[in-house]
Every structure is written in structure tokens, then in C-alpha cells.
């Protein structure tokens, strides 16, 4: 069973295409026009062991908001499609990831009930060429369109690059755990019989 999907979305503001293999080896080809965001998505793929391709073109002359948010929308939809009927998945994943002085926690549930709880205060308005507030915007769009309950908490840190890196690595590791197949699970991991 291959758990892969490709999703494309085009608006007046962006063109985004993403392909994911949930059972990959952490290979990534990322091009969004925002270098720091490319780096974060590559970390997400590497530490989640997903093969991920993202090609995004957006109205960066305005700012990065549309590109980052729409990439979250498309990547969320791609993960949802790759999961299919969610038969046999572990459903839950949690990861604590340190990056030097920063420590992030991500806990998620592939529940079908989109929700984001986000606790992180970055020390500056920008991280490289990306507005720091867009980390939360990406995560919200991703959680909604992947239909995840997603809790993200930065426990501490002071270097914005390290803080964001810990979050994206933890997201990859938690999603890898939640999407793993477990032969002991008959159907889906829910007493309702559906996710």
C-alpha cells in the first residue's frame, strides 16, 4: 500500500503544488521563494521521514503571508489524501525536540476535528526572510486542512531560528508517529469506528 498524494491549488495570489510519501526516507525538494520557510519544510520532511516535494509561487512582492498560508492549506490536504481512510494508523503523536537552547513540544491527533493551540513567542518580527508570525499561520492552515488537533508549545528558547527549527522538527516527528501503521489496530483507532 502506497500512502502518497499530490495536490495542486491555484488562486489569484499563489500557485502551490505538493506531493508527499508518508512512508519515505526524508527526501525533500522545496521551492517557495522564501528561503527560511524552505529550510523549515525540509526539516519537517527529514525528521518525519516523509518524501516531500513543494513548489510554490506567490505574490512575494506583497509579503510572504499568502505563500506560507496557502502552502499550509495544500500540504494539509496532501497529508489528508495520503492517509486515505486512516485504517490502521496510530492516530496520536507527540514529540519533544531540543535545538540548542530551545525546546519545543508538538502533540497531535489525526482526529478529523481541526484545532490549533499555539504557544510560542518569538523575540523578533522576522526569522531570516520570513515574518515570525507566519509560523503560526502555516500551522493553523496545515491543521485545518489535514483535519488535525494540533498543540504546539515552545517551552523555552531565545534564538528565533532555533525556536522555529525545534517546532518544525517536532511536527515532523509527531506526525510520523501518528501516521505509522500498527498491525494490532483493526480498522481505525476510535470507538466510534470512524475518524
Amino acid at each position: 500500500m502506497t500512502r502518497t498524494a499530490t495536490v495542486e491549488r491555484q488562486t489569484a495570489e499563489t500557485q502551490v503544488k505538493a506531493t508527499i510519501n508518508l512512508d519515505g526516507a526524508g527526501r525533500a525538494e522545496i521551492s517557495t521563494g522564501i528561503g527560511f520557510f524552505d529550510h523549515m519544510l525540509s526539516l519537517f520532511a527529514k525528521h518525519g521521514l516523509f518524501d516531500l516535494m513543494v513548489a510554490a509561487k506567490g505574490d512575494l512582492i506583497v509579503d510572504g503571508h499568502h505563500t506560507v498560508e496557502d502552502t499550509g492549506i495544500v500540504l494539509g490536504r496532501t497529508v489528508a489524501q495520503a492517509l486515505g481512510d486512516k485504517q490502521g494508523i496510530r492516530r496520536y503523536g507527540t514529540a519533544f525536540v531540543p535545538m540548542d537552547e530551545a525546546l519545543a513540544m508538538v502533540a497531535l491527533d489525526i482526529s478529523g476535528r481541526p484545532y490549533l493551540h499555539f504557544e510560542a513567542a518569538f523575540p523578533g518580527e522576522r526569522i531570516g526572510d520570513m515574518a515570525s508570525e507566519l509560523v503560526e499561520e502555516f500551522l493553523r492552515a496545515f491543521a485545518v486542512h489535514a483535519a488535525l488537533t494540533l498543540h504546539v508549545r515552545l517551552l523555552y528558547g531565545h534564538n528565533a531560528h532555533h525556536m522555529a527549527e525545534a517546532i518544525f522538527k517536532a511536527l515532523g516527528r509527531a506526525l510520523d508517529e501518528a501516521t505509522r501503521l500498527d498491525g494490532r489496530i483493526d480498522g481505525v483507532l476510535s470507538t466510534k469506528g470512524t475518524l
Side-chain angles (χ1 to χ4, degrees), residues 170-190:
L171 178 63
R173 290 182 60 85
L175 189 64
D176 176 50
E177 182 182 339
T179 58
R180 283 187 200 161
L181 296 169
D182 189 324
R184 298 171 298 172
I185 299 169
D186 182 20
V188 295
L189 192 59
S190 171

Side-chain angles (χ1 to χ4, degrees), residues 19-176:
T19 298
I20 197 164
N21 176 0
L22 296 175
D23 304 305
R27 293 180 290 269
E29 294 178 36
I30 314 293
S31 177
T32 66
I34 304 169
F36 185 76
F37 188 42
D38 290 357
H39 179 42
M40 293 301 103
L41 293 177
S42 295
L43 292 169
F44 163 75
K46 186 69 168 180
H47 292 271
L49 297 172
F50 309 123
D51 291 341
L52 179 65
M53 185 281 294
V54 175
K57 292 182 181 178
D59 55 356
L60 297 180
I61 195 166
V62 176
D63 66 12
H65 188 110
H66 298 141
T67 301
V68 172
E69 182 179 33
D70 288 7
T71 299
I73 290 169
V74 171
L75 187 53
R77 290 177 182 173
T78 307
V79 168
Q81 285 190 23
L83 282 169
D85 60 12
K86 304 174 190 169
Q87 300 283 312
I89 64 166
R90 291 188 175 176
R91 179 177 169 178
Y92 301 98
T94 301
F96 285 82
V97 172
M99 176 62 198
D100 294 350
E101 87 300 341
L103 179 64
M105 183 279 300
V106 171
L108 61 85
D109 175 9
I110 303 173
S111 62
R113 296 184 306 278
Y115 180 80
L116 172 67
H117 178 83
F118 181 81
E119 285 184 46
F122 293 102
E125 292 183 4
R126 300 196 71 74
I127 314 170
D129 58 349
M130 180 172 136
S132 54
E133 67 186 10
L134 295 182
V135 172
E136 183 176 3
E137 293 303 319
F138 167 79
L139 292 169
R140 180 173 292 106
F142 179 70
V144 167
H145 291 274
L148 306 175
T149 300
L150 178 60
H151 292 256
V152 176
R153 187 172 180 207
L154 185 72
L155 283 78
Y156 42 80
H158 57 79
N159 179 295
H161 186 127
H162 295 167
M163 293 158 74
E165 186 163 326
I167 288 169
F168 276 84
K169 286 177 177 177
L171 178 63
R173 290 182 60 85
L175 189 64
D176 176 50

